[in-house]
Amino acid sequence: MARIKLKLPERKADFETKIELTVNFINYGNHMGNDAVATLCHEGRMRFLKSIGHSELDCFGKSLIQADAVYTYRGEAFHGDILEVEIYVEDLNDYGFDLLYKFSCGERTIA
């Protein structure tokens, strides 16, 4: 199976936040688990929507439904790391939009 390649826009993110990796994001390998990425995306999305006065149940009068999710992993993150989360809004259309996320910790890209 071919690897999926995601490309972030070459512009400033539409929203940025920081999230500390607490123990609930850490797996038995002592690093951030792959399941944590979905939860961290959700947290970032909730913060982004709140920052523009909306929620997942009322985003410009509509409820949001996540139709697809793709994750690519680039590095490990550990308990106590502060993830820098960047969110980009792309492909706005009559039926929805894409949210692209970048997780980094200092100079290291995580996902």
Side-chain angles (χ1 to χ4, degrees):
M1 177 183 204
R3 305 271 324 221
I4 295 171
K5 300 203 186 276
L6 297 174
K7 185 172 180 184
L8 293 174
E10 293 183 16
R11 62 178 169 80
K12 185 177 179 342
D14 296 300
F15 179 76
E16 297 178 12
T17 190
K18 294 182 183 208
I19 302 174
E20 182 177 359
L21 285 184
T22 55
V23 71
N24 55 308
F25 297 117
I26 305 303
N27 65 19
Y28 287 110
N30 205 29
H31 55 81
M32 183 180 77
N34 59 7
D35 59 315
V37 175
T39 301
L40 291 163
C41 285
H42 191 187
E43 178 66 27
R45 183 172 58 251
M46 299 273 298
R47 290 181 186 191
F48 167 58
L49 292 170
K50 184 176 181 181
S51 78
I52 60 172
H54 294 279
S55 72
E56 291 182 319
L57 296 176
D58 183 9
C59 185
F60 298 98
K62 305 285 184 187
S63 294
L64 300 183
I65 298 171
Q66 181 176 320
D68 301 295
V70 174
Y71 309 110
T72 59
Y73 302 97
R74 301 287 181 232
E76 293 179 324
F78 304 94
H79 181 262
D81 281 351
I82 306 296
L83 285 186
E84 298 151 15
V85 181
E86 298 174 21
I87 299 177
Y88 301 83
V89 180
E90 289 286 295
D91 195 24
L92 289 162
N93 59 65
D94 291 340
Y95 303 101
F97 54 91
D98 294 337
L99 292 177
L100 303 173
Y101 303 79
K102 178 182 178 186
F103 295 110
S104 57
C105 188
E107 297 298 314
R108 296 179 293 134
T109 298
I110 307 303

